[in-house]
Amino acid sequence: MSRFLPVCYLCILVCFTQCGIKSAIGDILGTANNVTTQVTSVIDNAIGDLSSESANWREILQKAINDLPKDVQSTIRTEMTDLLNRAIAASGSEIRCDADFFRNRLIQGLQNIKAQLLGNQPPPLEPQLCTVIPLAIDMELDPSRRNKIEFYGYDFDKAKIKVLLENGGALTDISSFMDQPTHYHMTLNLGGNGVNLTGASTRIILQWNDRNISSIGILQKTTPICEVKTSPNISISPISFMPPHIGSGDREFDGNGPDIYCTVKLENQGNRVDAVIYMSAKETEDDWTEARGTQKSTIYQADPGWQITEIIGPVESSYSYRDNDHELDKFAGTGPVQTYTFMGDGKGDDVGSNTNVTVKLNALRVTLKQTGNCVTDVAIKNALKFKLLAPNRLNRIRQINPRLITPTQ
């Protein structure tokens, strides 16, 4: 029997060793989970503070960076610091975006950082414009005074922006004439060896992901001023979305979260407004069950003969949290979203059966203009502000649309 003792001792040694390894792994995972919880709490507090209209976005983000636990991944601290520095640089530019612009952009950036921390994959952030000078190019103005267009905004360096010139209905790519001195400033060269504007030129279009994000009208001698109107409040029915199953995990979260991340974006498609909902739900352990996808729904269609020039108010919102029950979870939204209602982990299989979001949008308002080759009064006022209208043009506007010009202009 004694010959079995070495084997027994070996078994005991292996048992203690394995138990020790499991304990060590448990301690490591516990520490990691604790740090993640602390970081998400810091980010959530910053997002909540930034939602206030009177929020000082610099102080809030700097405090969030200072409040990060010392054990946080260096990439998280770096990303949050970069987010702050980019906003400070943009806010110090010659033409400043307003405080609401920066607060909304920082909220989006923090939500993306949080989503990545929780293992979710956020959609790319669209580059944002806050000021364009001018919004209309007056072809009667001396060429030396209409030699460029300037764009101010955010994250121009993180996405490929395409620039097109419309000439008599044909589109020409003129992206090579765009210069990008900083991430918040772009300049389109219209002078000398720049874009060649002719009597057939009607507008310049900026595109991102094959979608128009801005346009600049070109005022020829006979270009009329469009009729413009604002829609009344448009009520939108709730929209539900059930993201599809991806990956190799099963369809059951089994009490392990999931970590949920959702974004809602309103997109102006010219003749309609689409609501784009992105949702991901990922199990926190075991086989990492995941649901993820995007749904696009048309929520408003313009009448024939009218084009949507602007969605009034914020167009993006996002929310993330860790589900911990089998019940519906309802949260107040931000921006265009009134409420989010999530079902994460339910009873039985989740992905394809339970996991979904229902979004209730706030009432929608849009600005519309007549279709055709015309320029809006907003673009005229913008050109007036920067003294980029020819004297002959000013005189004609005084006669036809005197309301657009003040006595000093």
Side-chain angles (χ1 to χ4, degrees), residues 81-321:
T81 302
D82 181 58
L83 190 64
L84 174 60
N85 289 339
R86 291 169 77 86
I88 290 173
S91 68
S93 62
E94 180 184 354
I95 306 297
R96 301 188 178 199
C97 305
D98 61 26
D100 285 344
F101 177 89
F102 287 108
R103 288 192 300 104
N104 289 331
R105 196 56 170 179
L106 290 173
I107 288 173
Q108 295 163 18
L110 288 173
Q111 287 282 16
N112 270 26
I113 291 172
K114 179 181 173 182
Q116 294 172 55
L117 177 68
L118 296 177
N120 293 316
Q121 183 179 337
L125 286 176
E126 176 182 328
Q128 294 290 309
L129 290 163
C130 66
T131 305
V132 180
I133 304 172
L135 278 173
I137 302 297
D138 188 354
M139 293 296 286
E140 292 187 274
L141 197 64
D142 186 275
S144 65
R145 296 191 55 211
R146 54 173 172 83
N147 59 358
K148 65 180 178 180
I149 304 174
E150 294 191 276
F151 305 89
Y152 293 86
Y154 215 78
D155 284 347
F156 294 153
D157 60 336
K158 291 190 174 182
K160 183 175 178 56
I161 296 175
K162 191 175 184 179
V163 191
L164 302 171
L165 172 64
E166 185 176 78
N167 272 320
L171 294 176
T172 303
D173 191 330
I174 56 171
S175 304
S176 60
F177 298 103
M178 181 76 89
D179 185 34
Q180 194 179 96
T182 68
H183 81 84
Y184 56 81
H185 184 203
M186 298 187 299
T187 303
L188 183 65
N189 180 17
L190 303 179
N193 58 351
V195 178
N196 181 30
L197 299 181
T198 70
S201 302
T202 52
R203 62 177 179 154
I204 292 169
I205 303 165
L206 265 65
Q207 288 188 343
W208 177 77
N209 276 4
D210 296 322
R211 186 170 62 80
N212 294 358
I213 60 173
S214 183
S215 68
I216 297 91
I218 298 174
L219 285 164
Q220 304 290 350
K221 189 170 183 178
T222 57
T223 303
I225 297 174
C226 312
E227 183 182 343
V228 177
K229 65 181 181 179
T230 301
S231 73
N233 286 343
I234 304 160
S235 297
I236 311 297
S237 299
I239 306 171
S240 295
F241 173 48
M242 181 175 287
H245 179 254
I246 66 166
S248 58
D250 60 22
R251 296 174 180 269
E252 171 59 48
F253 292 123
D254 198 26
N256 302 317
D259 283 331
I260 289 177
Y261 178 69
C262 182
T263 66
V264 177
K265 182 173 182 181
L266 306 187
E267 291 185 349
N268 178 7
Q269 304 292 358
N271 65 340
R272 69 181 194 274
V273 175
D274 290 338
V276 181
I277 300 176
Y278 168 89
M279 179 182 173
S280 68
K282 188 173 183 179
E283 192 174 16
T284 58
E285 56 181 83
D286 197 22
D287 63 350
W288 310 100
T289 295
E290 186 172 6
R292 184 171 76 234
T294 302
Q295 173 181 283
K296 181 179 289 190
S297 306
T298 297
I299 59 173
Y300 172 74
Q301 187 80 42
D303 292 332
W306 291 90
Q307 178 183 351
I308 303 162
T309 59
E310 181 187 10
I311 299 171
I312 299 173
V315 297
E316 292 190 46
S317 177
S318 58
Y319 200 88
S320 58
Y321 78 108

